[in-house]
Amino acid sequence: MGNSLICRTKKDAKDNGSKSKRMGRSQRKMLAEEEFLHKQALSMALHQHQLSQRFDGSMSRRIGSTSSRRHADPLANEKKLLESLEKIKFKKIVLLHGEGFGAWCWYKTIAQLEEVGLQPTALDLTGSGIDLTDTNTVTTLAEYSKPLIKYLENLPVDEKVILVGHSSGGACLSYALEHFPEKISKAIFLCATMVSNGQRPFDVFAEELGSAERFMKESQFLIYGNGKDKPPTGFMFEKQLMKGLYFNQSPTKDVALAMVSMRSTPLGPIMEKLSLTPEKYGTGRRFYIQTLEDRALLPDVQEKLVRENPPEGVFKIKGSDHCPFFSKPQSLHKILIEIVQIP
C-alpha cells in the first residue's frame, strides 16, 4: 500500500509537472499575444496621431505632404514649433469673450498657449465675468470695451498684441482696430461679429433673432433694469435655449461651467452702429475663424460676413459649435498658432 501511494504520488507529481509546463506554455503564449495586441494598438494610435498631424481636422484644407508627415517625430515637431515661436516678436495674445461669457471661458486656450511660450491674457469686459459693474449701466461700446482700451493704452510704445474676439466680442475688436491700429499686430474674429462700417453687432444675429426693432419690442429675453416703462438695458437667453444655441457640441462639464458662470449682456453696445474708416480699421490685419456646426451664428451667416468684409485669411473648424474653446480646443489652438506664425 505504501508502494502504491508512493507510485501514485510520483505519478501525480509527474502529471502536475506536465500540467505546469503546459500552463506555462499557455501563459507565455497568452502574454505573447497580449504583447502583440498591445504593440498593434500602439501602432494604430501612432498612425492615428500622424493622421491628425497630417490633416488639420480644424481646417477645410490639407496641410503638408503625406510623405513628410508619415515619419514625423512628434518631439522634433514640438521642438521646431517652440523654436519658431521663440523668434516671433509679438507674443502677447489678448482673448475677448462674447455675450454673456467672461474671461473664464478661455481656460483651455490659455493653458495651451502658455505651454508653447506665448503670453495670453483673457479680459473681462465691463459687467462680465468677475467685473462687478451692473450690466444695466453699460450703454455704449466704449464703456463695454473699457478693460481692453485700458490694456492697450498701457502697452509700451514699441509693443503690439494679437487680439482674439469671440462672438459679439468681435465688435470690441473692430472698435480697437479703429482707435488703436498701431497697437494691434493681428485681429482674429472667432465666429464673431465682424461688422462693416455703419453696422450694428446685433445686425449679424438678425437672421436668428429677427430685426433689432422687433427684438426690442417682442423678445422675452430682455431685461428692463430701469423699469418696464423705460427702454430695455440687457438680455439673457433661457438656459435650455443657450444649450441648444451655443453648446450643441460642447462637453457636459463645460456646459455646466457656463450655466453657473454666464451673466446678462448689456444691450446698448450691441445695438450701437460702428464707425470704421479705411485709414484706421482698414489697415488692420484681420483673420476669421468659422465654426461649421454653429447654431448661434450660422455658417452661412459667417460666410456672408467674410464675403462682404474680406479678411486676410479664413479658417474653418469642423464639428465645432459656437464655443470652439470648449468643443474643439485643440483645433482652435492649431489655428491660432498658425495665424501667430504668419509673417
Short mmCIF file of all heavy atoms in Angstrom, two decimals, residues 24-84:
data_model
loop_
_atom_site.label_atom_id
_atom_site.label_comp_id
_atom_site.label_asym_id
_atom_site.label_seq_id
_atom_site.Cartn_x
_atom_site.Cartn_y
_atom_site.Cartn_z
N GLY A 24 2.43 26.87 -18.29
CA GLY A 24 3.48 27.85 -18.53
C GLY A 24 3.53 28.24 -19.99
O GLY A 24 3.62 29.42 -20.33
N ARG A 25 3.46 27.20 -20.86
CA ARG A 25 3.46 27.48 -22.30
C ARG A 25 2.23 28.29 -22.70
O ARG A 25 2.31 29.22 -23.49
CB ARG A 25 3.53 26.16 -23.07
CG ARG A 25 4.90 25.50 -23.09
CD ARG A 25 4.97 24.44 -24.18
NE ARG A 25 4.05 23.33 -23.92
CZ ARG A 25 4.37 22.24 -23.24
NH1 ARG A 25 5.59 22.13 -22.70
NH2 ARG A 25 3.49 21.27 -23.06
N SER A 26 1.08 27.92 -22.09
CA SER A 26 -0.17 28.63 -22.41
C SER A 26 -0.10 30.08 -21.96
O SER A 26 -0.50 31.00 -22.68
CB SER A 26 -1.34 27.92 -21.72
OG SER A 26 -2.54 28.64 -21.93
N GLN A 27 0.43 30.29 -20.75
CA GLN A 27 0.54 31.65 -20.24
C GLN A 27 1.50 32.48 -21.07
O GLN A 27 1.26 33.64 -21.37
CB GLN A 27 1.00 31.63 -18.78
CG GLN A 27 -0.11 31.20 -17.81
CD GLN A 27 0.40 31.12 -16.39
OE1 GLN A 27 1.60 30.99 -16.17
NE2 GLN A 27 -0.51 31.17 -15.43
N ARG A 28 2.64 31.82 -21.44
CA ARG A 28 3.61 32.54 -22.27
C ARG A 28 2.99 32.92 -23.62
O ARG A 28 3.21 34.00 -24.14
CB ARG A 28 4.87 31.68 -22.47
CG ARG A 28 5.79 31.64 -21.26
CD ARG A 28 7.17 31.12 -21.63
NE ARG A 28 7.11 29.74 -22.08
CZ ARG A 28 7.20 28.70 -21.25
NH1 ARG A 28 7.30 28.90 -19.93
NH2 ARG A 28 7.16 27.47 -21.72
N LYS A 29 2.16 31.99 -24.15
CA LYS A 29 1.51 32.26 -25.43
C LYS A 29 0.52 33.43 -25.29
O LYS A 29 0.46 34.32 -26.14
CB LYS A 29 0.76 31.01 -25.90
CG LYS A 29 0.15 31.16 -27.29
CD LYS A 29 -0.54 29.87 -27.73
CE LYS A 29 -1.17 30.06 -29.11
NZ LYS A 29 -1.88 28.85 -29.55
N MET A 30 -0.24 33.40 -24.17
CA MET A 30 -1.21 34.50 -23.92
C MET A 30 -0.48 35.83 -23.75
O MET A 30 -0.91 36.86 -24.28
CB MET A 30 -2.03 34.19 -22.67
CG MET A 30 -3.09 33.11 -22.89
SD MET A 30 -3.96 32.71 -21.34
CE MET A 30 -4.76 34.28 -21.01
N LEU A 31 0.61 35.79 -23.00
CA LEU A 31 1.37 37.02 -22.80
C LEU A 31 1.94 37.55 -24.11
O LEU A 31 1.95 38.75 -24.38
CB LEU A 31 2.51 36.78 -21.80
CG LEU A 31 2.10 36.61 -20.34
CD1 LEU A 31 3.29 36.16 -19.50
CD2 LEU A 31 1.53 37.92 -19.80
N ALA A 32 2.40 36.60 -24.93
CA ALA A 32 2.94 36.99 -26.25
C ALA A 32 1.85 37.62 -27.10
O ALA A 32 2.07 38.63 -27.79
CB ALA A 32 3.54 35.77 -26.95
N GLU A 33 0.65 37.01 -27.04
CA GLU A 33 -0.47 37.55 -27.81
C GLU A 33 -0.87 38.94 -27.30
O GLU A 33 -1.14 39.85 -28.07
CB GLU A 33 -1.66 36.60 -27.74
CG GLU A 33 -1.49 35.33 -28.57
CD GLU A 33 -2.65 34.37 -28.40
OE1 GLU A 33 -3.51 34.64 -27.53
OE2 GLU A 33 -2.69 33.37 -29.14
N GLU A 34 -0.89 39.07 -25.96
CA GLU A 34 -1.23 40.38 -25.37
C GLU A 34 -0.22 41.44 -25.77
O GLU A 34 -0.56 42.58 -26.09
CB GLU A 34 -1.29 40.26 -23.85
CG GLU A 34 -2.54 39.58 -23.35
CD GLU A 34 -2.56 39.47 -21.84
OE1 GLU A 34 -1.66 40.07 -21.21
OE2 GLU A 34 -3.46 38.81 -21.31
N GLU A 35 1.06 41.05 -25.73
CA GLU A 35 2.11 41.98 -26.12
C GLU A 35 1.97 42.40 -27.58
O GLU A 35 2.11 43.56 -27.94
CB GLU A 35 3.49 41.35 -25.89
CG GLU A 35 4.64 42.34 -26.10
CD GLU A 35 5.99 41.73 -25.80
OE1 GLU A 35 6.03 40.54 -25.39
OE2 GLU A 35 6.98 42.43 -25.97
N PHE A 36 1.63 41.41 -28.44
CA PHE A 36 1.43 41.70 -29.85
C PHE A 36 0.26 42.66 -30.05
O PHE A 36 0.35 43.64 -30.80
CB PHE A 36 1.17 40.39 -30.62
CG PHE A 36 0.76 40.61 -32.06
CD1 PHE A 36 1.70 40.99 -33.01
CD2 PHE A 36 -0.56 40.45 -32.44
CE1 PHE A 36 1.32 41.21 -34.32
CE2 PHE A 36 -0.95 40.67 -33.75
CZ PHE A 36 -0.01 41.04 -34.71
N LEU A 37 -0.86 42.37 -29.32
CA LEU A 37 -2.03 43.25 -29.44
C LEU A 37 -1.73 44.65 -28.92
O LEU A 37 -2.17 45.65 -29.48
CB LEU A 37 -3.20 42.65 -28.65
CG LEU A 37 -3.84 41.39 -29.25
CD1 LEU A 37 -4.84 40.79 -28.29
CD2 LEU A 37 -4.52 41.72 -30.59
N HIS A 38 -0.95 44.70 -27.82
CA HIS A 38 -0.57 45.99 -27.26
C HIS A 38 0.25 46.81 -28.26
O HIS A 38 0.01 47.99 -28.47
CB HIS A 38 0.22 45.77 -25.98
CG HIS A 38 0.63 47.04 -25.30
ND1 HIS A 38 -0.26 47.95 -24.81
CD2 HIS A 38 1.87 47.55 -25.05
CE1 HIS A 38 0.39 48.98 -24.29
NE2 HIS A 38 1.67 48.75 -24.41
N LYS A 39 1.23 46.11 -28.88
CA LYS A 39 2.06 46.79 -29.89
C LYS A 39 1.21 47.24 -31.07
O LYS A 39 1.41 48.30 -31.64
CB LYS A 39 3.17 45.86 -30.36
CG LYS A 39 4.29 45.67 -29.34
CD LYS A 39 5.36 44.74 -29.87
CE LYS A 39 6.51 44.59 -28.86
NZ LYS A 39 7.54 43.64 -29.34
N GLN A 40 0.25 46.37 -31.45
CA GLN A 40 -0.63 46.71 -32.57
C GLN A 40 -1.47 47.95 -32.23
O GLN A 40 -1.65 48.84 -33.06
CB GLN A 40 -1.54 45.52 -32.88
CG GLN A 40 -2.24 45.61 -34.23
CD GLN A 40 -3.01 44.35 -34.54
OE1 GLN A 40 -3.68 43.81 -33.66
NE2 GLN A 40 -2.93 43.88 -35.76
N ALA A 41 -1.97 47.99 -30.99
CA ALA A 41 -2.77 49.14 -30.56
C ALA A 41 -1.94 50.41 -30.54
O ALA A 41 -2.38 51.47 -30.97
CB ALA A 41 -3.34 48.88 -29.16
N LEU A 42 -0.69 50.28 -30.05
CA LEU A 42 0.21 51.44 -30.05
C LEU A 42 0.49 51.91 -31.47
O LEU A 42 0.52 53.11 -31.75
CB LEU A 42 1.52 51.08 -29.36
CG LEU A 42 1.51 51.03 -27.83
CD1 LEU A 42 2.85 50.54 -27.31
CD2 LEU A 42 1.20 52.40 -27.26
N SER A 43 0.67 50.95 -32.36
CA SER A 43 0.93 51.28 -33.75
C SER A 43 -0.25 52.02 -34.36
O SER A 43 -0.09 53.01 -35.07
CB SER A 43 1.21 50.00 -34.54
OG SER A 43 1.37 50.29 -35.91
N MET A 44 -1.47 51.52 -34.07
CA MET A 44 -2.67 52.18 -34.58
C MET A 44 -2.82 53.57 -34.01
O MET A 44 -3.18 54.51 -34.71
CB MET A 44 -3.89 51.34 -34.26
CG MET A 44 -4.00 50.04 -35.06
SD MET A 44 -5.37 49.02 -34.51
CE MET A 44 -6.75 50.03 -35.05
N ALA A 45 -2.53 53.71 -32.70
CA ALA A 45 -2.64 55.03 -32.06
C ALA A 45 -1.64 56.00 -32.66
O ALA A 45 -1.96 57.17 -32.92
CB ALA A 45 -2.39 54.90 -30.55
N LEU A 46 -0.41 55.51 -32.90
CA LEU A 46 0.61 56.35 -33.52
C LEU A 46 0.20 56.76 -34.93
O LEU A 46 0.35 57.90 -35.33
CB LEU A 46 1.95 55.60 -33.55
CG LEU A 46 3.13 56.36 -34.17
CD1 LEU A 46 3.39 57.65 -33.40
CD2 LEU A 46 4.38 55.50 -34.18
N HIS A 47 -0.37 55.78 -35.66
CA HIS A 47 -0.83 56.07 -37.02
C HIS A 47 -1.93 57.13 -37.00
O HIS A 47 -1.94 58.06 -37.81
CB HIS A 47 -1.34 54.78 -37.66
CG HIS A 47 -1.84 54.98 -39.07
ND1 HIS A 47 -1.02 55.39 -40.11
CD2 HIS A 47 -3.08 54.81 -39.60
CE1 HIS A 47 -1.75 55.48 -41.22
NE2 HIS A 47 -3.00 55.14 -40.93
N GLN A 48 -2.86 56.98 -36.02
CA GLN A 48 -3.95 57.96 -35.91
C GLN A 48 -3.40 59.34 -35.57
O GLN A 48 -3.85 60.35 -36.09
CB GLN A 48 -4.92 57.50 -34.81
CG GLN A 48 -6.17 58.35 -34.68
CD GLN A 48 -7.05 58.27 -35.91
OE1 GLN A 48 -7.08 57.25 -36.58
NE2 GLN A 48 -7.72 59.35 -36.24
N HIS A 49 -2.40 59.37 -34.67
CA HIS A 49 -1.78 60.64 -34.31
C HIS A 49 -1.12 61.29 -35.52
O HIS A 49 -1.23 62.49 -35.75
CB HIS A 49 -0.74 60.42 -33.21
CG HIS A 49 0.06 61.65 -32.88
ND1 HIS A 49 -0.49 62.71 -32.19
CD2 HIS A 49 1.34 62.01 -33.18
CE1 HIS A 49 0.42 63.65 -32.06
NE2 HIS A 49 1.53 63.24 -32.64
N GLN A 50 -0.44 60.47 -36.33
CA GLN A 50 0.21 61.00 -37.53
C GLN A 50 -0.80 61.53 -38.52
O GLN A 50 -0.59 62.55 -39.17
CB GLN A 50 1.08 59.91 -38.17
CG GLN A 50 2.32 59.57 -37.37
CD GLN A 50 3.03 58.32 -37.86
OE1 GLN A 50 2.43 57.51 -38.56
NE2 GLN A 50 4.28 58.18 -37.50
N LEU A 51 -1.94 60.84 -38.61
CA LEU A 51 -3.01 61.31 -39.50
C LEU A 51 -3.53 62.66 -39.03
O LEU A 51 -3.77 63.57 -39.82
CB LEU A 51 -4.16 60.30 -39.55
CG LEU A 51 -3.97 59.08 -40.44
CD1 LEU A 51 -5.16 58.15 -40.29
CD2 LEU A 51 -3.79 59.49 -41.90
N SER A 52 -3.71 62.79 -37.70
CA SER A 52 -4.23 64.06 -37.17
C SER A 52 -3.22 65.18 -37.37
O SER A 52 -3.58 66.34 -37.51
CB SER A 52 -4.55 63.92 -35.69
OG SER A 52 -3.38 63.76 -34.94
N GLN A 53 -1.92 64.82 -37.41
CA GLN A 53 -0.91 65.83 -37.69
C GLN A 53 -0.90 66.19 -39.17
O GLN A 53 -0.69 67.33 -39.55
CB GLN A 53 0.48 65.30 -37.30
CG GLN A 53 0.67 65.08 -35.81
CD GLN A 53 0.64 66.37 -35.05
OE1 GLN A 53 1.26 67.34 -35.46
NE2 GLN A 53 -0.10 66.40 -33.96
N ARG A 54 -1.14 65.18 -40.02
CA ARG A 54 -1.09 65.40 -41.46
C ARG A 54 -2.29 66.21 -41.93
O ARG A 54 -2.21 67.03 -42.81
CB ARG A 54 -1.06 64.05 -42.17
CG ARG A 54 -0.68 64.14 -43.63
CD ARG A 54 -0.85 62.82 -44.33
NE ARG A 54 -0.40 61.71 -43.52
CZ ARG A 54 -0.77 60.47 -43.76
NH1 ARG A 54 -1.61 60.18 -44.74
NH2 ARG A 54 -0.33 59.50 -43.00
N PHE A 55 -3.46 65.94 -41.33
CA PHE A 55 -4.65 66.67 -41.69
C PHE A 55 -5.06 67.51 -40.50
O PHE A 55 -5.37 66.94 -39.46
CB PHE A 55 -5.81 65.73 -42.04
CG PHE A 55 -5.57 64.95 -43.29
CD1 PHE A 55 -4.98 63.71 -43.23
CD2 PHE A 55 -5.92 65.46 -44.52
CE1 PHE A 55 -4.76 62.97 -44.37
CE2 PHE A 55 -5.71 64.73 -45.67
CZ PHE A 55 -5.13 63.48 -45.60
N ASP A 56 -5.06 68.78 -40.63
CA ASP A 56 -5.57 69.61 -39.54
C ASP A 56 -7.08 69.46 -39.58
O ASP A 56 -7.74 70.03 -40.43
CB ASP A 56 -5.16 71.07 -39.75
CG ASP A 56 -5.56 71.91 -38.57
OD1 ASP A 56 -6.58 71.57 -37.95
OD2 ASP A 56 -4.86 72.88 -38.27
N GLY A 57 -7.63 68.70 -38.68
CA GLY A 57 -9.06 68.44 -38.69
C GLY A 57 -9.87 69.70 -38.51
O GLY A 57 -11.07 69.72 -38.72
N SER A 58 -9.23 70.79 -38.10
CA SER A 58 -9.94 72.03 -37.88
C SER A 58 -10.14 72.82 -39.16
O SER A 58 -10.89 73.75 -39.20
CB SER A 58 -9.15 72.89 -36.90
OG SER A 58 -7.90 73.22 -37.46
N MET A 59 -9.43 72.46 -40.19
CA MET A 59 -9.45 73.31 -41.38
C MET A 59 -10.04 72.60 -42.58
O MET A 59 -10.15 71.39 -42.64
CB MET A 59 -8.03 73.75 -41.74
CG MET A 59 -7.40 74.58 -40.65
SD MET A 59 -5.85 75.25 -41.16
CE MET A 59 -5.20 75.77 -39.60
N SER A 60 -10.41 73.41 -43.54
CA SER A 60 -11.03 72.85 -44.72
C SER A 60 -9.99 72.40 -45.73
O SER A 60 -10.32 71.77 -46.71
CB SER A 60 -11.94 73.90 -45.35
OG SER A 60 -11.19 75.05 -45.68
N ARG A 61 -8.73 72.72 -45.49
CA ARG A 61 -7.70 72.32 -46.45
C ARG A 61 -6.70 71.39 -45.78
O ARG A 61 -6.59 71.33 -44.57
CB ARG A 61 -6.97 73.55 -46.99
CG ARG A 61 -6.10 74.26 -45.95
CD ARG A 61 -5.35 75.41 -46.62
NE ARG A 61 -4.43 76.02 -45.72
CZ ARG A 61 -4.74 76.96 -44.86
NH1 ARG A 61 -5.97 77.37 -44.77
NH2 ARG A 61 -3.84 77.50 -44.07
N ARG A 62 -5.97 70.67 -46.61
CA ARG A 62 -4.97 69.73 -46.12
C ARG A 62 -3.66 70.46 -45.90
O ARG A 62 -3.29 71.34 -46.67
CB ARG A 62 -4.79 68.63 -47.17
CG ARG A 62 -3.83 67.55 -46.78
CD ARG A 62 -3.96 66.41 -47.76
NE ARG A 62 -2.86 65.48 -47.64
CZ ARG A 62 -2.82 64.33 -48.27
NH1 ARG A 62 -3.80 63.97 -49.05
NH2 ARG A 62 -1.80 63.51 -48.12
N ILE A 63 -2.96 70.07 -44.84
CA ILE A 63 -1.72 70.76 -44.51
C ILE A 63 -0.55 69.80 -44.64
O ILE A 63 -0.55 68.73 -44.05
CB ILE A 63 -1.76 71.30 -43.07
CG1 ILE A 63 -2.91 72.30 -42.94
CG2 ILE A 63 -0.46 71.96 -42.69
CD1 ILE A 63 -3.08 72.82 -41.57
N GLY A 64 0.44 70.18 -45.41
CA GLY A 64 1.65 69.37 -45.54
C GLY A 64 1.47 68.20 -46.48
O GLY A 64 0.37 67.82 -46.86
N SER A 65 2.55 67.57 -46.86
CA SER A 65 2.50 66.43 -47.77
C SER A 65 2.45 65.13 -46.98
O SER A 65 2.88 65.06 -45.84
CB SER A 65 3.75 66.41 -48.66
OG SER A 65 4.89 66.20 -47.86
N THR A 66 1.93 64.07 -47.61
CA THR A 66 1.79 62.78 -46.95
C THR A 66 3.14 62.21 -46.54
O THR A 66 3.33 61.75 -45.43
CB THR A 66 1.10 61.79 -47.90
OG1 THR A 66 -0.15 62.36 -48.30
CG2 THR A 66 0.86 60.46 -47.22
N SER A 67 4.10 62.29 -47.42
CA SER A 67 5.40 61.66 -47.16
C SER A 67 6.13 62.32 -46.01
O SER A 67 6.75 61.65 -45.20
CB SER A 67 6.26 61.73 -48.43
OG SER A 67 6.44 63.07 -48.83
N SER A 68 6.04 63.63 -45.92
CA SER A 68 6.79 64.32 -44.86
C SER A 68 6.16 64.10 -43.49
O SER A 68 6.85 64.09 -42.49
CB SER A 68 6.85 65.83 -45.17
OG SER A 68 5.56 66.37 -45.16
N ARG A 69 4.82 63.90 -43.44
CA ARG A 69 4.15 63.74 -42.16
C ARG A 69 4.18 62.31 -41.64
O ARG A 69 4.09 62.07 -40.47
CB ARG A 69 2.69 64.19 -42.29
CG ARG A 69 2.53 65.69 -42.52
CD ARG A 69 2.80 66.45 -41.26
NE ARG A 69 2.53 67.86 -41.44
CZ ARG A 69 2.67 68.75 -40.49
NH1 ARG A 69 3.08 68.39 -39.32
NH2 ARG A 69 2.40 70.02 -40.71
N ARG A 70 4.31 61.35 -42.54
CA ARG A 70 4.18 59.95 -42.15
C ARG A 70 5.24 59.55 -41.15
O ARG A 70 4.98 58.78 -40.24
CB ARG A 70 4.24 59.07 -43.40
CG ARG A 70 3.99 57.60 -43.13
CD ARG A 70 3.91 56.82 -44.42
NE ARG A 70 2.76 57.23 -45.19
CZ ARG A 70 2.69 57.11 -46.51
NH1 ARG A 70 3.71 56.63 -47.19
NH2 ARG A 70 1.61 57.49 -47.15
N HIS A 71 6.45 60.05 -41.32
CA HIS A 71 7.54 59.65 -40.43
C HIS A 71 7.95 60.78 -39.49
O HIS A 71 9.06 60.81 -39.01
CB HIS A 71 8.74 59.21 -41.27
CG HIS A 71 8.41 58.10 -42.25
ND1 HIS A 71 8.11 56.83 -41.84
CD2 HIS A 71 8.33 58.12 -43.60
CE1 HIS A 71 7.85 56.08 -42.91
NE2 HIS A 71 7.97 56.85 -43.99
N ALA A 72 7.01 61.72 -39.26
CA ALA A 72 7.33 62.86 -38.42
C ALA A 72 7.54 62.44 -36.97
O ALA A 72 6.82 61.59 -36.44
CB ALA A 72 6.22 63.90 -38.50
N ASP A 73 8.50 63.03 -36.32
CA ASP A 73 8.78 62.78 -34.91
C ASP A 73 8.06 63.87 -34.11
O ASP A 73 8.39 65.05 -34.21
CB ASP A 73 10.29 62.85 -34.67
CG ASP A 73 10.65 62.60 -33.21
OD1 ASP A 73 9.72 62.52 -32.39
OD2 ASP A 73 11.84 62.51 -32.91
N PRO A 74 7.06 63.48 -33.29
CA PRO A 74 6.30 64.48 -32.53
C PRO A 74 7.18 65.38 -31.69
O PRO A 74 6.95 66.58 -31.60
CB PRO A 74 5.37 63.63 -31.66
CG PRO A 74 5.25 62.33 -32.39
CD PRO A 74 6.57 62.12 -33.06
N LEU A 75 8.21 64.80 -31.04
CA LEU A 75 9.10 65.61 -30.20
C LEU A 75 9.89 66.61 -31.04
O LEU A 75 10.09 67.76 -30.64
CB LEU A 75 10.05 64.70 -29.43
CG LEU A 75 9.41 63.83 -28.34
CD1 LEU A 75 10.45 62.91 -27.73
CD2 LEU A 75 8.76 64.69 -27.29
N ALA A 76 10.33 66.16 -32.22
CA ALA A 76 11.06 67.06 -33.12
C ALA A 76 10.16 68.18 -33.60
O ALA A 76 10.57 69.35 -33.69
CB ALA A 76 11.61 66.27 -34.30
N ASN A 77 8.90 67.82 -33.90
CA ASN A 77 7.93 68.83 -34.34
C ASN A 77 7.68 69.86 -33.26
O ASN A 77 7.60 71.06 -33.52
CB ASN A 77 6.60 68.17 -34.74
CG ASN A 77 6.68 67.50 -36.09
OD1 ASN A 77 7.60 67.76 -36.87
ND2 ASN A 77 5.72 66.63 -36.37
N GLU A 78 7.53 69.38 -32.01
CA GLU A 78 7.28 70.29 -30.90
C GLU A 78 8.47 71.23 -30.68
O GLU A 78 8.30 72.42 -30.44
CB GLU A 78 7.01 69.48 -29.63
CG GLU A 78 6.61 70.35 -28.44
CD GLU A 78 6.29 69.54 -27.21
OE1 GLU A 78 6.20 68.31 -27.32
OE2 GLU A 78 6.16 70.15 -26.14
N LYS A 79 9.67 70.66 -30.77
CA LYS A 79 10.87 71.47 -30.61
C LYS A 79 10.97 72.53 -31.71
O LYS A 79 11.29 73.70 -31.44
CB LYS A 79 12.11 70.56 -30.65
CG LYS A 79 13.42 71.30 -30.39
CD LYS A 79 14.61 70.35 -30.43
CE LYS A 79 15.91 71.11 -30.19
NZ LYS A 79 17.08 70.20 -30.30
N LYS A 80 10.64 72.11 -32.93
CA LYS A 80 10.68 73.03 -34.06
C LYS A 80 9.67 74.15 -33.87
O LYS A 80 9.94 75.32 -34.15
CB LYS A 80 10.39 72.26 -35.35
CG LYS A 80 10.59 73.06 -36.62
CD LYS A 80 10.37 72.19 -37.85
CE LYS A 80 10.55 73.02 -39.13
NZ LYS A 80 10.32 72.18 -40.34
N LEU A 81 8.46 73.79 -33.37
CA LEU A 81 7.42 74.79 -33.13
C LEU A 81 7.87 75.79 -32.07
O LEU A 81 7.72 77.01 -32.24
CB LEU A 81 6.13 74.10 -32.69
CG LEU A 81 4.98 75.02 -32.24
CD1 LEU A 81 4.53 75.92 -33.38
CD2 LEU A 81 3.81 74.21 -31.70
N LEU A 82 8.41 75.28 -30.98
CA LEU A 82 8.87 76.15 -29.89
C LEU A 82 9.97 77.09 -30.37
O LEU A 82 9.99 78.28 -30.01
CB LEU A 82 9.37 75.31 -28.71
CG LEU A 82 8.30 74.51 -27.97
CD1 LEU A 82 8.95 73.60 -26.93
CD2 LEU A 82 7.30 75.43 -27.31
N GLU A 83 10.88 76.58 -31.19
CA GLU A 83 11.95 77.42 -31.74
C GLU A 83 11.37 78.49 -32.66
O GLU A 83 11.82 79.64 -32.65
CB GLU A 83 12.95 76.55 -32.51
CG GLU A 83 13.83 75.69 -31.60
CD GLU A 83 14.70 74.72 -32.38
OE1 GLU A 83 14.52 74.64 -33.62
OE2 GLU A 83 15.56 74.07 -31.77
N SER A 84 10.37 78.10 -33.45
CA SER A 84 9.74 79.05 -34.37
C SER A 84 9.02 80.15 -33.60
O SER A 84 9.14 81.34 -33.93
CB SER A 84 8.75 78.31 -35.27
OG SER A 84 8.00 79.21 -36.05
#
